[in-house]
C-alpha cells in the first residue's frame, strides 16, 4: 500500500508544486494556450460534438488542492468542464500501487495479444505452406514490426501531452492536442505509406531475403505497407486512450482484431491458397477493423469531451510538443531494432546451431520484456498526469514503485532461466541438443537483463513524462553503440564456442543505461536540486 503522503498533497508538495507551474513539458507546451482557447470560444458557432476520448466525465467534482477552477473569461474551457465529471482514468489520486496495476495489467495483456497477433501469420503460413512462404512472412514481419515500433514511439508525444493536460484539468488543451494529433499523423501516414511502398524491394534486398522467398516477401510487405494508415490510426487512438489513463479499451480492440486475424488467415491461406499475400491481407483487414471499432466506440460513448473545428486548425506549438517528445523515442526504437538485426547477423555468421539458438532466445526475451515495457508506459502516463497536476512527489513515487516491481519480476525470471534454461530451450528445439546447449548458455546470461532493463525502462517512462525523451534516446543509443553491439561482436571473436559471454552484452549495456539515468535523475529531478524541474520550462 502507498504511504499516506503519497496519495494526497503534503505541505511540502504544495510548496514545491506552487513554484513549479507549467514545468512538466517544454516551454512550447503551455505557451499561447489562453489565446488558442479564446479563439475557440469566439468560434462556438462552429463547435461540433464529437466523442473522442475515454470517459472524462465530472472533472469539476475533483477536489484536490491543485484543481483548476473554470475561468469565466474563457467560455470554451468553462463549457468543457461544466459538462464533464469525475475522471475515470484519473491517476492523480488513490493508492498508487493499485492505480499502477489497474493501468499496467490491461496494457500488458494488450502487448501479449499483439505478440500473438504477429505470430499468428507465421504459424498458419507454416502449417499450410512451404519454407519459402515462411521465410517471406518472417522477413516481411520483421520490417513491418520495425515500422510499428517507430510509430508507437512517435505517438508517445500524444500520450504525454494529453496526460499532462488531463492532470492539470485543462480540457481545452486536451481537445487542441487531439486535433493536432489528427493533423500531424494524417500527414505521417500519407508520407510513410508512399515512402515504404516505394522502397519495399530495396529494403528486402538490404535484409538479404532469399531469392526463393523474394516474390512472396514483396507481396507481403507491399500489402502491409499499403495498410500503414491503419497502423498509424490505431496507435494514435491508443495513445489518446492511454493519455486519459485508459488501457482497457485498446486491449478490447486488439483482442477483437486478433480473433478476426486468425479467422481471415485460415480463410485466405488455407481456403484461398494466397500464401504470404493472404497473411498480409488478413493483417491489414484486422488492423482496419480495430480502427473502425475504436471510432464507433468513440462516436457513441458518452465521453463528455467535444472536439471542435477550431481544434483541427494548425497549431505549431501543439504539434511541436508532440514531436519534441515523440521523435527521440521513435529514433530510439528504430536504432534498438536495428541493433537487434545487427546482433542477429553476428550470430548468423557463427553457424546454424548458434544462429538458431540466438533466434529462439531473442523471441523468448522479447516475450519476457512485455512486463518491463508495460511498466515503462505505466510510469510515463502516471507520472505525466501527476506532473500536469503538479504532484511531483507522487510522480517520483510512481518511478520508485515501477522500478521495484520490475526488479522483483526480473529476479524471478532470471532465477527460472538459470534453473530451467535447457528445459525451456527443448520446448522450441526438442531434437537438437547443440541448439539447446547454446541457447541455455545465451539465456543464462541474457536473462539478467530482465532485472536491469526494467530499471532503465522505468527511468525512460519518467523522463518522457517530463518532456525529456531526449534523455531516453541518449542513454539507449550510448548503450547500444558502446556496449551491446561491440560487446556481442567481441564475445563472438573471443569465445566462439560459448554464447554465455555474448549474452552478457545486453545486461552490461543496461547497466550503463542505469548509470546514465541515475546521474540524469540526480542532476535534474532529485530533492537536492528542487529547482531542476522549474528550469525545465
Amino acid at each position: 500500500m502507498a504511504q499516506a503522503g503519497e496519495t494526497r498533497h503534503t505541505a511540502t508538495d504544495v510548496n514545491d508544486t506552487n513554484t513549479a507551474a507549467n514545468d512538466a513539458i517544454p516551454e512550447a507546451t503551455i505557451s499561447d494556450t489562453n489565446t488558442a482557447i479564446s479563439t475557440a470560444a469566439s468560434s462556438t458557432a462552429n463547435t461540433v460534438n464529437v466523442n473522442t476520448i475515454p470517459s472524462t466525465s465530472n472533472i469539476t467534482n475533483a477536489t484536490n488542492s491543485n484543481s483548476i477552477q473554470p475561468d469565466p473569461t474563457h467560455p470554451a474551457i468553462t463549457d468543457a468542464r461544466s459538462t464533464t465529471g469525475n475522471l475515470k482514468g484519473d491517476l492523480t489520486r488513490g493508492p498508487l500501487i493499485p492505480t499502477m496495476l489497474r493501468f499496467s495489467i490491461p496494457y500488458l495483456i494488450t502487448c501479449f495479444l499483439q505478440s500473438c497477433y504477429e505470430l499468428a501469420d507465421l504459424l498458419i503460413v507454416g502449417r499450410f505452406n512451404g519454407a519459402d512462404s515462411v521465410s517471406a512472412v518472417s522477413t516481411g514481419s520483421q520490417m513491418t514490426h520495425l515500422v510499428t515500433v517507430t510509430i508507437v514511439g512517435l505517438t508517445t508525444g500524444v500520450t504525454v501531452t494529453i496526460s499532462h493536460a488531463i492532470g492539470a484539468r485543462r480540457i481545452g488543451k486536451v481537445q487542441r492536442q487531439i486535433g493536432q494529433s489528427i493533423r500531424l499523423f494524417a500527414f505521417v501516414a500519407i508520407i510513410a505509406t508512399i515512402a515504404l511502398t516505394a522502397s519495399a524491394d530495396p529494403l528486402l534486398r538490404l535484409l538479404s531475403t532469399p531469392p526463393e522467398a523474394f516474390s512472396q516477401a514483396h507481396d507481403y510487405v507491399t500489402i502491409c505497407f499499403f495498410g500503414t494508415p491503419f497502423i498509424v490510426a490505431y496507435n494514435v487512438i491508443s495513445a489518446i486512450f492511454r493519455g486519459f489513463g485508459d488501457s482497457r479499451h485498446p486491449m478490447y480492440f486488439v483482442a477483437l482484431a486478433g480473433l478476426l486475424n486468425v479467422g481471415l488467415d485460415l480463410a485466405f491461406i488455407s481456403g484461398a491458397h494466397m500464401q504470404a499475400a493472404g497473411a498480409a491481407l488478413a493483417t491489414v483487414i484486422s488492423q482496419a477493423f480495430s480502427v473502425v471499432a475504436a471510432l464507433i466506440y468513440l462516436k457513441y460513448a458518452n465521453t463528455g469531451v467535444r472536439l471542435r473545428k477550431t481544434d483541427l486548425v494548425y497549431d505549431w506549438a501543439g504539434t511541436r510538443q508532440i514531436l519534441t517528445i515523440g521523435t527521440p523515442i521513435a529514433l530510439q526504437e528504430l536504432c534498438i531494432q536495428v541493433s537487434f538485426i545487427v546482433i542477429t547477423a553476428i550470430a548468423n555468421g557463427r553457424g546454424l546451431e548458434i544462429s538458431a539458438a540466438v533466434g529462439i532466445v531473442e523471441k523468448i526475451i522479447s516475450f519476457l520484456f512485455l512486463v518491463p515495457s508495460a511498466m515503462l508506459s505505466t510510469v510515463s502516463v502516471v507520472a505525466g498526469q501527476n506532473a500536469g497536476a503538479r504532484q511531483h512527489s507522487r510522480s517520483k513515487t510512481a518511478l520508485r514503485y515501477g522500478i521495484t516491481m520490475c526488479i522483483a519480476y526480473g529476479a524471478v525470471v532470471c532465477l527460472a532461466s538459470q534453473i530451467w534454461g535447457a528445459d525451456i530451450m527443448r520446448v522450441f528445439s526438442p531434437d537438437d541438443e547443440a541448439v539447446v546447449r547454446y541457447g541455455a548458455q545465451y539465456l543464462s546470461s541474457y536473462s539478467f537483463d530482465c532485472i536491469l532493463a526494467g530499471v532503465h525502462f522505468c527511468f525512460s517512462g519518467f523522463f518522457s513524462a517530463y518532456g525529456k525523451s531526449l534523455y531516453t534516446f541518449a542513454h539507449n543509443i550510448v548503450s547500444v553503440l558502446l556496449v551491446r553491439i561491440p560487446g556481442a561482436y567481441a564475445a563472438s571473436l573471443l569465445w566462439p564456442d560459448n554464447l554465455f559471454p555474448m549474452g552478457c552484452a545486453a545486461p552490461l549495456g543496461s547497466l550503463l543505461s542505469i548509470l546514465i539515468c541515475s546521474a540524469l535523475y540526480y542532476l535534474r529531478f532529485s530533492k537536492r536540486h528542487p529547482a531542476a524541474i522549474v528550469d525545465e520550462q
Side-chain angles (χ1 to χ4, degrees):
M1 295 295 291
Q3 298 290 329
E6 294 160 357
T7 60
R8 64 176 184 269
H9 293 287
T10 63
T12 301
D13 291 334
V14 173
N15 292 334
D16 206 21
T17 59
N18 285 341
T19 61
N22 299 337
D23 56 55
I25 31 186
E27 181 176 7
T29 302
I30 303 178
S31 62
D32 297 330
T33 298
N34 289 339
T35 301
I37 294 177
S38 298
T39 302
S42 65
S43 307
T44 52
N46 294 327
T47 300
V48 291
N49 290 326
V50 179
N51 292 319
T52 57
I53 302 299
S55 176
T56 59
S57 56
N58 297 325
I59 288 180
T60 54
N61 292 336
T63 57
N64 78 52
S65 59
N66 285 324
S67 294
I68 302 176
Q69 299 302 318
D71 185 347
T73 65
H74 297 301
I77 201 168
T78 302
D79 291 344
R81 285 171 179 162
S82 65
T83 60
T84 57
N86 281 340
L87 189 64
K88 288 185 179 179
D90 189 357
L91 307 176
T92 62
R93 63 187 69 192
L96 196 48
I97 290 180
T99 297
M100 294 177 69
L101 291 176
R102 280 195 300 271
F103 181 91
S104 62
I105 291 175
Y107 184 84
L108 175 61
I109 295 173
T110 301
C111 293
F112 174 76
L113 291 174
Q114 286 176 325
S115 296
C116 294
Y117 189 113
E118 294 172 358
L119 286 174
D121 288 349
L122 192 61
L123 292 173
I124 295 174
V125 164
R127 175 68 177 80
F128 295 102
N129 294 276
D132 55 343
S133 296
V134 173
S135 177
V137 172
S138 177
T139 302
S141 62
Q142 190 175 33
M143 293 173 60
T144 56
H145 179 72
L146 191 66
V147 173
T148 300
V149 297
T150 303
I151 292 172
V152 169
L154 194 58
T155 59
T156 302
V158 178
T159 298
V160 171
T161 55
I162 289 177
S163 67
H164 273 286
I166 287 296
R169 306 298 194 267
R170 300 172 64 193
I171 301 306
K173 175 70 172 179
V174 172
Q175 293 170 172
R176 288 195 299 112
Q177 286 303 104
I178 294 169
Q180 297 314 300
S181 300
I182 293 172
R183 288 181 58 95
L184 172 62
F185 284 96
F187 177 75
V188 169
I190 294 170
I191 296 301
T193 301
I194 295 172
L196 290 170
T197 52
S199 59
D201 284 356
L203 289 173
L204 289 172
R205 294 190 187 98
L206 186 63
L207 291 177
S208 301
T209 304
E212 301 84 355
F214 194 93
S215 177
Q216 289 195 56
H218 169 82
D219 293 341
Y220 183 90
V221 298
T222 300
I223 293 172
C224 287
F225 286 163
F226 272 116
T228 299
F230 299 121
I231 298 176
V232 173
Y234 170 75
N235 283 289
V236 170
I237 294 171
S238 295
I240 294 171
F241 274 111
R242 290 194 295 272
F244 272 77
D246 182 355
S247 59
R248 291 184 300 109
H249 284 93
M251 176 183 68
Y252 300 151
F253 302 140
V254 168
L256 292 173
L259 292 174
L260 178 62
N261 184 63
V262 172
L264 292 176
D265 272 341
L266 293 172
F268 293 154
I269 297 171
S270 175
H273 306 291
M274 294 178 65
Q275 298 179 312
L281 187 59
T283 297
V284 171
I285 292 174
S286 300
Q287 290 167 343
F289 172 80
S290 66
V291 172
V292 172
L295 292 176
I296 290 174
Y297 169 78
L298 295 175
K299 179 176 177 62
Y300 293 104
N302 182 22
T303 61
V305 173
R306 298 183 300 173
L307 184 63
R308 304 155 298 185
K309 290 180 180 179
T310 52
D311 295 322
L312 297 171
V313 175
Y314 178 70
D315 173 23
W316 169 238
T319 301
R320 186 173 68 174
Q321 296 158 24
I322 296 171
L323 291 175
T324 299
I325 297 171
T327 302
I329 301 294
L331 293 175
Q332 164 197 312
E333 292 296 335
L334 180 63
C335 292
I336 289 174
Q337 294 302 317
V338 170
S339 74
F340 288 153
I341 295 174
V342 171
I343 291 173
T344 299
I346 293 172
N348 289 343
R350 298 179 64 180
L352 183 61
E353 289 83 5
I354 288 180
S355 175
V358 169
I360 292 171
V361 172
E362 292 288 356
K363 292 294 183 183
I364 294 171
I365 291 295
S366 66
F367 177 78
L368 295 175
F369 269 32
L370 293 179
V371 171
S373 296
M375 195 53 62
L376 183 157
S377 182
T378 300
V379 171
S380 178
V381 175
V382 173
Q385 284 198 13
N386 283 280
R390 307 172 193 171
Q391 299 185 74
H392 303 300
S393 293
R394 185 174 170 90
S395 295
K396 295 176 182 178
T397 302
L399 171 63
R400 291 196 298 271
Y401 285 169
I403 290 174
T404 301
M405 286 187 274
C406 282
I407 290 176
Y409 164 80
V412 172
V413 167
C414 184
L415 180 61
S417 299
Q418 308 308 312
I419 298 174
W420 298 297
D423 295 325
I424 294 171
M425 289 299 301
R426 287 191 182 94
V427 172
F428 297 91
S429 182
D431 301 322
D432 194 328
E433 281 301 313
V435 172
V436 171
R437 183 179 71 256
Y438 284 128
Q441 294 170 356
Y442 194 51
L443 182 60
S444 178
S445 55
Y446 203 150
S447 62
F448 284 97
D449 201 31
C450 293
I451 302 174
L452 300 175
V455 177
H456 71 76
F457 275 29
C458 290
F459 273 118
S460 294
F462 181 84
F463 293 150
S464 297
Y466 278 87
K468 294 300 173 185
S469 54
L470 190 60
Y471 292 178
T472 74
F473 172 77
H475 80 74
N476 276 289
I477 296 305
V478 169
S479 169
V480 166
L481 295 181
L482 295 186
V483 178
R484 289 178 184 266
I485 291 178
Y489 181 70
S492 69
L493 297 178
L494 297 175
W495 296 278
D497 298 321
N498 191 336
L499 285 184
F500 185 92
M502 183 174 173
C504 291
L508 288 176
S510 289
L511 183 60
L512 176 60
S513 284
I514 291 172
L515 294 175
I516 296 173
C517 289
S518 299
L520 290 171
Y521 181 83
Y522 177 80
L523 292 173
R524 308 301 293 169
F525 296 99
S526 73
K527 292 181 179 179
R528 296 187 181 184
H529 299 79
I533 297 177
V534 180
D535 293 338
E536 301 305 318
Q537 295 184 37

